């Protein structure tokens, strides 16, 4: 990278950090209570909600891990991201509309709170809050680790701080998130998400065009890939490099599991008018589709460039994006990509930390029959504590945190998607079915993933699954089955009185 | 709630249970045709969940378009991918083989278009109006003033 390009990248990143802090200051002045802190006042319009949901959904994985996975697995990896074609509609039809209506009949600031209200049960709320916390520990930790690595790369802190480089870089990145998330809560979170989402869309579309141009167009890219034995025709076949159960298991987890992601669903509680959801799939699905162009573009262009000898073969697949950007993108675009990665990481982190602090200071105390006197103050304190704990965990147990981060999506999906998808649409689901499903999803995912990936205890057995089966998909299917089986005997509709507004919401 | 919808809902829930079983069984036991069973099962979930969520509105032109369209697209695509997987074919368009193109079109671009339009249509034909929202808020206010113990809070 030339000194001029490096200067541009540093300038853009510093400007981006400054803008995030300014938004934090602006939001802090408007945050007077828990309603602003946890649900941004509940007055957001369609476009803001859609963009904030999109940027919370996509972490740095979209920019780094996704193209790297394509380099390794071929287009089978796209089973993870292509469901964005319909998950936006699924979210609105199946969960978003009724979640928003639950917020219409009373104070609902969190997903566990919405479940507690739906099932008139503190137990369900507590189980959901625990699932959220377990899911975000790894997710947030892995975002902190990625934030540190990107900050280190952009600012070149390794030369300045040596062995302390990663802790210093992680600390600096974390301080920015900490400043705006603590001061401005979710109000700062959503407006920074909008800026971050805008940056991600612009960057992704530009990178896609650049990747196509660098590869010589789709036909030439495909021809180069097929002609190289390291990739071959299988690279472009959906099941070419992954068994059916793995490829479609990813499709299952990343489509249906989306219905259980609290950092996305939380945004529906902030919408000012439930009727504006009508156009949400167009806004959310359109912006998500624009973003995955980056994954598609780099994921296909890099192997083609490697096949032609224009890039050396990658020793680590996750180097696909940095290698392409540094070698083939114009300096401004390269700077935008690195800032875009930071934006993607930070937008996910701020959403996660907010719902985590809500679970700690609002859901769990209320589930146990007590209330904190000042939820705003405690919410800010919990935000600080969570971010510090996540950064400390990430730096101390990096491998373990990365491991937890890789299956956090599946954990929250298996624990919460069935109870939300069926519980909000079928009155027969009662509190016992809901609790059983959440616990089953949580325990099954953690148990199977741990057995499948752990190497700390060699004596433990591997999970009893067919080769290629994904633990996350197994847990999600099991959680659905348990919910339906218990609901069949429970007759949960009896928990709701005839004039209960929750019943009215479920019947709308 | 009509008896017709109650029956339809029971059918949807039974199908969801079968789909969950179909997604689970091939992961635990290697069965003949397990790939096909797994594919059909996981591709059925989105349409079944939308059908359940739409409730009685599922049996309307807008609802049937959304559910039927999603079911046809996703099931058709995964079955096409399975049929095409062992056939070595050259590029069909944009340098991609038929399987790659079917994947991009059937799981991403066409559902994106379908869902965006169908959601507007289902919302337009069954939209909440101000009276509905006012009725909901009034119901909630009555319960609150009657000292409703809000469990889970």
């Amino acid at each position: 990278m030339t000194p001029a390009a490096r200067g541009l990248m540093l300038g853009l990143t510093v400007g981006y950090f400054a803008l995030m802090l300014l938004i934090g200051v602006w939001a802090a002045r408007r945050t007077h209570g828990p309603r602003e802190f946890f649900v941004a006042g509940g007055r957001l319009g369609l476009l803001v909600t859609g963009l904030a949901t999109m940027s919370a959904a996509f972490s740095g994985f979209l920019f780094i891990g996704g193209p790297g996975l394509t380099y390794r697995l071929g287009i089978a990896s796209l089973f993870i991201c292509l469901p964005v074609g319909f998950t936006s509609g699924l979210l609105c039809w199946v969960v978003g509309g009724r979640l928003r209506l639950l917020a219409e009949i009373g104070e609902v600031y969190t997903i566990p709170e919405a479940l507690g209200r739906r099932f008139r049960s503190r137990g369900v709320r507590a189980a959901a809050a625990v699932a959220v916390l377990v899911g975000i520990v790894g997710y947030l930790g892995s975002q902190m680790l990625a934030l540190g690595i990107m900050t280190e790369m952009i600012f070149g802190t390794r030369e300045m701080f040596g062995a302390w480089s990663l802790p210093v870089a992680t600390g600096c990145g974390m301080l920015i998130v900490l400043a705006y998330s603590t001061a401005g809560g979710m109000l700062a979170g959503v407006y920074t998400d909008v800026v971050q989402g805008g940056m991600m869309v612009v960057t992704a579309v530009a990178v896609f065009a650049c990747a196509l141009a660098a590869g010589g167009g789709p036909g030439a890219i495909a021809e180069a890939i097929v002609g190289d034995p390291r990739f071959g025709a299988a690279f472009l076949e959906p099941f070419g490099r992954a068994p059916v159960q793995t490829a479609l298991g990813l499709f299952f987890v990343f489509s249906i599991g989306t219905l259980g992601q609290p950092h996305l669903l939380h945004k529906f509680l902030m919408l000012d008018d439930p009727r504006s959801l009508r156009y949400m799939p167009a806004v959310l699905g359109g912006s998500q589709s624009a973003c995955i162009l980056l994954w598609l573009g780099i994921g296909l262009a890099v192997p083609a460039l490697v096949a032609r000898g224009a890039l050396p073969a990658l020793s680590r697949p996750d180097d696909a994006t940095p290698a392409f950007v540094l070698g083939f993108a114009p300096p401004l675009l390269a700077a935008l990509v690195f800032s875009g990665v930071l934006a993607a990481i930070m937008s996910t982190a701020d959403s996660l930390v907010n719902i985590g602090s809500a679970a700690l200071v609002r859901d769990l105390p209320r589930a146990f029959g007590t209330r904190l006197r000042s939820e705003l103050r405690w919410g800010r304190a919990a935000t600080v504590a969570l971010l510090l704990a996540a950064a400390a965990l990430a730096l101390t147990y990096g491998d373990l945190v990365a491991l937890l981060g890789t299956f956090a999506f599946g954990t929250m999906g298996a624990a919460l998607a069935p109870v939300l998808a069926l519980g909000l649409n079928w009155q027969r689901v009662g509190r016992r079915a809901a609790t059983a499903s959440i616990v089953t999803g949580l325990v099954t995912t953690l148990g199977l993933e741990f057995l499948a990936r752990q190497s700390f205890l060699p004596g433990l057995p591997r999970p009893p699954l067919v080769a290629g089966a994904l633990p996350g998909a197994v847990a999600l299917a099991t959680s659905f089955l348990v919910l339906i089986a218990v609901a069949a005997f429970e007759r949960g509709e009896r928990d709701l009185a005839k004039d209960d507004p929750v019943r009215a919401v479920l019947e709308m | 709630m009509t008896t017709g919808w109650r029956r339809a809902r029971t059918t949807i829930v039974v199908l969801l249970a079968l789909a969950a079983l179909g997604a689970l069984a091939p992961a635990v036991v290697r069965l003949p045709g397990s790939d096909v069973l797994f594919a059909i099962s996981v591709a059925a979930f989105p349409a079944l969940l939308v059908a359940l969520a739409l409730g009685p509105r599922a049996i309307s032109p807008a609802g049937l378009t959304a559910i039927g369209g999603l079911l046809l697209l996703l099931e058709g695509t995964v079955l096409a991918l399975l049929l095409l997987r062992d056939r070595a074919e050259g590029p069909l368009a944009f340098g991609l083989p038929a399987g790659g193109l079917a994947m991009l079109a059937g799981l991403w671009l066409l559902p994106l278009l379908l869902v965006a339009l169908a959601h507007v249509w289902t919302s337009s034909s069954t939209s909440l109006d101000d009276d509905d929202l006012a009725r909901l808020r009034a119901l909630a206010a009555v319960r609150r003033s009657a000292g409703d113990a809000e469990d889970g809070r």
Side-chain angles (χ1 to χ4, degrees), chain A residues 236-261:
Chain A
L236 298 177
E237 292 290 348
F239 302 124
R241 288 186 159 197
V244 170
Q245 282 216 33
T246 306
L248 291 178
L250 291 172
F251 173 78
F252 183 44
V253 170
F254 284 90
S255 57
I256 303 305
T258 303
L259 299 173
Q261 302 306 311

Side-chain angles (χ1 to χ4, degrees), chain A residues 400-483:
Chain A
L400 183 63
V401 166
L403 183 71
L404 287 171
T406 55
F407 59 81
F409 191 98
T411 305
M412 294 195 285
L416 299 176
V419 71
L420 283 159
L422 294 187
L424 292 177
N425 296 297
W426 188 27
Q427 288 188 33
R428 190 160 184 147
V429 181
R431 57 189 66 145
R432 287 177 198 83
T435 311
S437 170
I438 293 170
V439 172
T440 301
L442 192 59
V443 171
T444 313
T445 321
L446 291 179
L448 292 177
E449 292 281 9
F450 181 76
L451 289 178
R453 296 164 189 245
Q454 70 88 25
S455 54
F456 322 107
L457 303 166
L460 285 179
R462 306 288 295 165
L465 300 178
V466 166
L470 288 184
V474 171
L476 183 57
T478 309
S479 183
F480 265 109
L481 269 179
V482 166
L483 184 97

Side-chain angles (χ1 to χ4, degrees), chain A residues 291-448:
Chain A
C291 278
I292 66 167
L293 287 176
L294 181 140
W295 180 332
L296 200 62
I298 295 184
L300 294 177
V302 166
L305 293 167
V306 169
R308 284 193 209 126
L311 264 179
L314 304 180
S315 52
R316 290 189 321 165
D318 282 356
D319 289 340
T321 298
F324 174 78
V325 167
L326 293 174
F328 296 90
L332 179 62
L333 185 55
L336 257 178
V337 170
F338 285 109
S339 302
V341 178
L342 280 179
I345 295 168
M346 290 166 82
S347 58
T348 305
D350 66 43
S351 294
L352 291 171
V353 77
N354 189 276
I355 59 164
S357 71
L360 279 175
V361 307
R362 191 172 168 88
D363 292 318
L364 285 176
R366 290 188 184 211
F368 289 102
T370 175
R371 285 173 186 235
L372 297 180
R373 192 165 292 167
S374 170
E375 285 181 343
L376 177 59
R377 195 169 63 227
W378 282 107
R380 284 180 164 145
T383 302
V384 175
L386 268 175
L387 273 171
L388 285 174
L393 264 177
L395 292 169
T396 316
Y397 301 104
D399 290 346
L400 183 63
V401 166
L403 183 71
L404 287 171
T406 55
F407 59 81
F409 191 98
T411 305
M412 294 195 285
L416 299 176
V419 71
L420 283 159
L422 294 187
L424 292 177
N425 296 297
W426 188 27
Q427 288 188 33
R428 190 160 184 147
V429 181
R431 57 189 66 145
R432 287 177 198 83
T435 311
S437 170
I438 293 170
V439 172
T440 301
L442 192 59
V443 171
T444 313
T445 321
L446 291 179
L448 292 177

